[in-house]
Amino acid sequence: MEFSDLPGMPVLSARGEPLGYVTQVFLSADLTRLASLVCADGDEAEFVLPARALRGDGTVRAGGRRLDAPAGVPCPVGKPVFSDGGAFLGRVEGISPGNAGVLTVAGRGFRQCYPLRAVSAGEAVIVRSRRRGKEPKAPSAAAAGYRLNLLGRKVAKPLKIGDTLLADAGETVTPRLLQRAREHNRLLELTAGLLTE
C-alpha cells in the first residue's frame, strides 16, 4: 500500500466501529516509514494516531493512545520535485514504503521513479543525482511526443512566448519543436493547439 492511498481511509475503533477518516499522513525523515496519522471524526474534530494504528490487514484502528501532535514530516505527495542541479522534474504522485521504496514523479506526459535513498523532502523535494554533476535522467520531449502521438501533426494556431514565435500555424511538430516547447514550459499549450489530420 502506498502512503498516498491513506488519506480518506476510514478509521475504526478497537471494536470496529467507524470513528472518522485519515486526513493527513506524516512519514519518517527518510520517507521510508509511516510516523503518524492525522484523522478527523464525524464532527471534523482532528485527532492524531501513532503509526501502529495502521494494521497489517490495511485497516486503521484507533486504540487507547493518541498523540498530542503529529510526529514526522508531512507526506510530500503533490509537492514539486527538483534535481539537485535545480531542474524541475514534476510533482510527487506517490511513495511506496520501505528501504527499497520509490518516489513516483509525474511530469508532463511521463512518470519517473526515484529510490527514496536519493530523495530529500522539505518545502520541495530534491532528487540527488547518483554521480556528482549529473542530472537525474528524465524522458526527453521527443520521447513524450512519441508516446502522445504528437510528431508529424500540424499546429492549429500560432504559439508565442511574449513576442517570440515558438510555432507558427500549420507548422509540423518535430522533435526540435517539442524540445523548444518543453524548455519554455509550453508543451501542454502546444499539445492542446494541434489539429487532427
Side-chain angles (χ1 to χ4, degrees), residues 1 9 16 21 25 43 63 71 81 100 106 112 128 142 146 149 163 166 175 195:
M1 172 182 296
M9 183 176 278
Y21 60 97
V25 176
D43 297 325
V81 181
Q112 183 74 27
R128 295 180 301 277
Y146 285 116
N149 195 25
D163 292 334
L166 181 68
L195 291 173

Side-chain angles (χ1 to χ4, degrees), residues 1-9 21-28 31-39 46-51 54 60 70-77 79 95 97:
M1 172 182 296
E2 289 201 354
F3 294 130
S4 53
D5 295 334
L6 295 173
M9 183 176 278
Y21 60 97
V22 176
T23 61
Q24 195 174 4
V25 176
F26 282 74
L27 306 176
S28 60
L31 306 178
T32 61
R33 295 180 323 278
L34 181 65
S36 61
L37 298 164
V38 177
C39 307
E46 284 191 347
F47 59 96
V48 182
L49 297 175
L54 179 63
V60 178
V73 297
C75 182
V77 169
K79 287 189 176 182
I95 301 176

Side-chain angles (χ1 to χ4, degrees), residues 11-19 55 60-64:
V11 177
L12 306 174
S13 70
R15 295 182 201 162
E17 300 161 337
L19 285 180
R55 304 292 169 92
V60 178
R61 300 245 178 187

Side-chain angles (χ1 to χ4, degrees), residues 60-71:
V60 178
R61 300 245 178 187
R65 184 169 176 251
R66 295 186 181 184
L67 303 177
D68 294 330

Side-chain angles (χ1 to χ4, degrees), residues 138-163:
S140 69
Y146 285 116
R147 279 198 301 276
L148 297 172
N149 195 25
L150 302 178
L151 294 175
R153 296 180 66 190
K154 303 286 183 188
V155 177
K157 60 182 183 178
L159 178 61
K160 292 185 176 185
I161 302 167
D163 292 334

Side-chain angles (χ1 to χ4, degrees), residues 61-195:
R61 300 245 178 187
R65 184 169 176 251
R66 295 186 181 184
L67 303 177
D68 294 330
V73 297
C75 182
V77 169
K79 287 189 176 182
V81 181
F82 298 91
S83 71
D84 53 3
F88 177 70
L89 301 175
R91 292 192 173 272
V92 178
E93 184 178 70
I95 301 176
S96 61
N99 291 330
V102 295
L103 181 87
T104 304
V105 177
R108 293 183 178 182
F110 71 91
R111 261 190 196 90
Q112 183 74 27
C113 294
Y114 300 97
L116 289 179
R117 66 182 175 277
V119 172
S120 300
E123 288 300 312
V125 177
I126 307 297
V127 176
R128 295 180 301 277
S129 55
R130 280 171 249 164
R131 284 184 272 160
R132 192 172 180 179
K134 185 172 179 180
E135 293 287 322
K137 188 174 179 184
S140 69
Y146 285 116
R147 279 198 301 276
L148 297 172
N149 195 25
L150 302 178
L151 294 175
R153 296 180 66 190
K154 303 286 183 188
V155 177
K157 60 182 183 178
L159 178 61
K160 292 185 176 185
I161 302 167
D163 292 334
T164 306
L165 183 67
L166 181 68
D168 203 359
E171 187 174 338
T172 301
V173 177
T174 62
R176 183 164 158 65
L177 176 57
L178 285 172
Q179 184 64 33
R180 282 194 332 254
R182 186 179 79 69
E183 287 170 358
H184 295 286
N185 291 326
R186 297 291 193 271
L187 192 55
L188 183 61
E189 291 172 53
L190 177 65
T191 304
L194 294 178
L195 291 173

